[in-house]
Amino acid sequence: MGKFYVTTPIYYVNDAPHIGHAYTTILADVLSRYHRAAGDEVFFLTGLDEHGQKVKQAAEKRGLSPQAHADDLAPRFLDLWKKLDIRYDDFIRTTEGRHKKAVQAVLQKVYEAGDIYAGEYGGWYSVAEERFITDAEYESGQFRDVKKLKEKNYFFKMSKYHGRLVEYIKANPALIQPESRRNEIMGFLNQPLGDLCISRPKSRMDWGIEIPFDKDYVTYVWFDALINYISVPGYASDDTKFKKWWPADVHLIGKDILTTHCVYWTTMLFSLGLSFPKTIFAHGWWLMGETKMSKSLGNVVNPLDLIKTHGIDAVRYYLMREMVLGQDANFTPESFIKRFNSDLANDFGNLLNRVSGLIARDHGGKVPGPGPLTPAEEELKRCAQALNSTVISLVGRMKVHEAIEAVIELVRQVNKYLEAQAPWKLAKTDMPAANRVLYTAGECLRIASIMLEPVMPHKAKMVLDILGAVNTEPVWGQLKPGTTLKSHPPLFPRIEVE
Ligand code: MSP
C-alpha cells in the first residue's frame, strides 16, 4: 500500500472536448480506481490549459475575451467528466489564483538561481504548436501556422542541464515509457539542446501569467502549464501536502507532447531542485483510417454521441481494451460493434444470463451451496484467485488492455466450463453437481466483475448487486449460498447490424 499520484495533460480550452481528451482522462480514472482498489492512496489531477495564443485566437474568433471564452468552455469538460464518471481529486484551471502564484514563485526562484536571462531571439514560431521551432523542423513542413519572429524575451537555461538529463534518462529507464518514446527522446538529445524562450511580450501576446520581474511580459504557455503538476499538490503553498504527493507516479501524455514533458519539464525540475516523476507515459493516437483524429481535419468522434447510443461503460471498455497502451489504435464503428458483441454481449453478459437464468429456473432463484469441488472447479478457483494479483501487476506495468483481457479470458473459460458441464442437464440427474457448477460459475462471475469495476463501474456494480455481492473482495468463497438473485434485463444486448 502506498500513494499514487497520476496526472493527465491539462487540455487547451480552444474547443469542446473530444475523444483524445476523453481517452487520457478515462485512462487516468481507470488507473486511479485500480490503485484505490489495491489500497493505495490516490491523487488524480486533471484540468485545463487556459493561457496562450491558441486560446486567445479561439476567443477572438468568437468575439469573446479569453477569460469569458475559457469560462464558457470549462463546464463542457466538467460535464463530460461527470457523464463519464471520472473521479478526479482536483481539477485545475491555469487562470486560477493558486496556480498563478505558484508559476510566479517558480519564475522568481529560477531567475534568482541565475537560470533565466534576457536575450534577443529570432526564429520560426509555430502558432499551432505554441513554440519556436528549429530550421530543420520548419523545413520538415510538419508545422502549421508558422511565422518568423524577432524580439527581446526571457530564456530558461535549458542547455545547462543537457548532460545531466541524458545521464538521468540512461540511469532511470522507467522515466520515459514506452521504450520507443525513450529512444525518440534520446535521439532528440543527441542534437545540441538550446535554451527555452519562456516569455511573450505583452505588446504581442498578453494572455498569460505576468513575469514577476518584468511586467511587460507574460509567461510562455508551456512554462505555465507544466507547473500545474506541482502547483496543485502545494508547491510554494503547502509543504506538507507537497511532500506527501510529489513526485508524481505517472504523467500520462499523448505522444505529440513528449518533448515538452521529457525535456522542458525535466530541466525545469532540475533547476528547481525537485525530484523527477517516476514515469512519463506517452500513449498513441486514436486514428480514423490512417489519419489522426483532429479538429482541424474535421474527423473527430464526439465521445458524447457514443455514450448516448451505447452507454458509458461500453465506451470506457472499448477505449481501454482496444488501444494497446503506447501504440496508435484505429477507431471504427465496426471495431466498436465487434468488441461490444464479442466481449460484452457474448462473453460477460452471457455468463451473467446463464448463471442467473439457470439459478432462477432450477434452483429456486437462490445461490446453491458448492459442496466439495472436483478438479474442474479447483482449476477455475485457482485462476479466479490469481486474477487480482495478475491484474494489479499488469496495471502497474501500464498494460491495461492485457489486464482486461485476463479478466475476459477467465469469463470465456467459465463459459466453456458451463458448456462442458451442462448444469441444465445435471439439474435433472445430479443436483449436487448442478449446485457445484452454478456456484463456481457465479463465484467466478463475481470475481471477474470486481476486477472489471474500475473500467465499467456501473455495469460491474449492477452484476454484483444482482449477485448480492456489492462490497465483497476478489477472494474465493464470498458469494453466499442461499442469496436470492435479483432479476435483471440483459446486461449488454447485442448490437444487431444489417
Ligand atoms: N495543453 C496541452 C497540454 C499541456 S500539459 C501540461 C495540450 N492540450 S491538447 O488539448 O491539445 O491535447 C491534450 C492531449 O490530447 C494530448 O496528450 C494529445 O496527445 C491528446 N490527443 C489529442 N488528439 C488525440 C487523438 N486523436 N488520440 C489520442 N490522444 C490525442 O496539448
Side-chain angles (χ1 to χ4, degrees), residues 16-318:
H18 60 66
I19 198 161
H21 307 132
Y23 173 72
T24 322
T25 312
I26 293 172
L27 177 60
D29 186 58
V30 168
L31 293 176
S32 296
R33 286 173 188 259
Y34 274 120
H35 277 269
R36 276 189 213 110
D40 286 344
E41 210 181 336
V42 172
F43 190 62
F44 163 15
L45 171 64
T46 186
L48 299 175
D49 191 352
E50 302 193 340
H51 291 127
Q53 188 138 335
K54 251 182 163 153
V55 172
K56 190 180 153 112
Q57 277 178 349
E60 273 164 6
K61 257 194 209 146
R62 298 176 67 205
L64 293 174
S65 73
Q67 189 66 62
H69 166 77
D71 291 345
D72 178 57
L73 278 174
R76 300 203 210 176
F77 284 85
L78 288 163
D79 286 350
L80 180 60
W81 302 157
K82 202 167 168 193
K83 284 214 177 73
L84 285 167
D85 208 356
I86 304 296
R87 301 244 169 109
Y88 52 79
D89 295 290
D90 207 336
F91 184 91
I92 182 71
R93 296 179 55 187
T94 52
T95 48
E96 286 174 50
R98 58 175 173 156
H99 176 73
K100 288 187 191 170
K101 261 171 58 197
V103 170
Q104 291 184 326
V106 166
L107 282 162
Q108 195 63 43
K109 183 159 185 200
V110 175
Y111 185 60
E112 281 164 16
D115 278 354
I116 290 176
Y117 63 91
E120 175 96 357
Y121 191 80
W124 297 109
Y125 188 81
S126 159
V127 178
E129 292 276 318
E130 286 279 19
R131 67 178 177 96
F132 281 97
I133 57 173
T134 61
D135 286 343
E137 282 176 321
Y138 174 72
E139 275 151 27
S140 77
Q142 282 171 359
F143 292 81
R144 286 174 293 131
D145 227 345
V146 179
K147 55 186 176 187
K148 197 129 210 184
L149 280 181
K150 192 177 176 75
E151 62 195 16
K152 176 199 154 185
N153 265 310
Y154 289 94
F155 292 83
F156 167 55
K157 284 189 187 163
M158 194 157 74
S159 59
K160 174 175 159 188
Y161 299 104
H162 189 173
R164 261 176 85 182
L165 180 58
V166 170
E167 288 317 307
Y168 189 96
I169 296 171
K170 278 190 191 152
N172 295 275
L175 177 69
I176 304 170
Q177 294 184 43
E179 201 186 335
S180 54
R181 299 296 159 212
R182 181 167 69 249
N183 294 340
E184 189 180 321
I185 286 297
M186 287 310 265
F188 179 86
L189 291 172
N190 264 335
Q191 314 292 318
L193 184 65
D195 289 339
L196 182 65
C197 176
I198 55 153
S199 66
R200 299 291 179 266
K202 281 186 184 170
S203 54
R204 169 165 75 80
M205 219 296 293
D206 62 354
W207 182 234
I209 298 173
E210 192 175 283
I211 302 268
F213 42 84
D214 191 337
K215 64 176 178 26
D216 292 334
Y217 286 81
V218 295
T219 314
Y220 165 49
V221 68
W222 271 103
F223 200 91
D224 154 357
L226 288 161
I227 290 170
N228 93 90
Y229 302 135
I230 57 172
S231 70
V232 177
Y235 179 79
S237 67
D238 184 342
D239 285 350
T240 318
K241 186 175 173 192
F242 189 64
K243 271 211 188 88
K244 175 170 176 182
W245 294 112
W246 191 256
D249 293 82
V250 186
H251 287 322
L252 291 175
I253 59 167
K255 64 179 184 181
D256 50 332
I257 52 176
L258 193 68
T259 312
T260 47
H261 282 79
C262 299
V263 182
Y264 298 5
W265 181 225
T266 48
T267 50
M268 285 162 74
L269 289 170
F270 269 138
S271 178
L272 288 168
L274 293 176
S275 46
F276 275 20
K278 289 193 194 117
T279 296
I280 298 171
F281 191 98
H283 63 70
W285 284 340
W286 283 97
L287 307 173
M288 245 333 194
E290 295 303 303
T291 43
K292 183 189 175 201
M293 274 190 205
S294 92
K295 196 194 146 226
S296 43
L297 295 171
N299 65 349
V300 177
V301 174
N302 183 343
L304 285 174
D305 295 342
L306 284 174
I307 298 167
K308 254 184 248 151
T309 40
H310 304 291
I312 297 165
D313 287 58
V315 172
R316 289 174 60 115
Y317 183 89
Y318 171 77

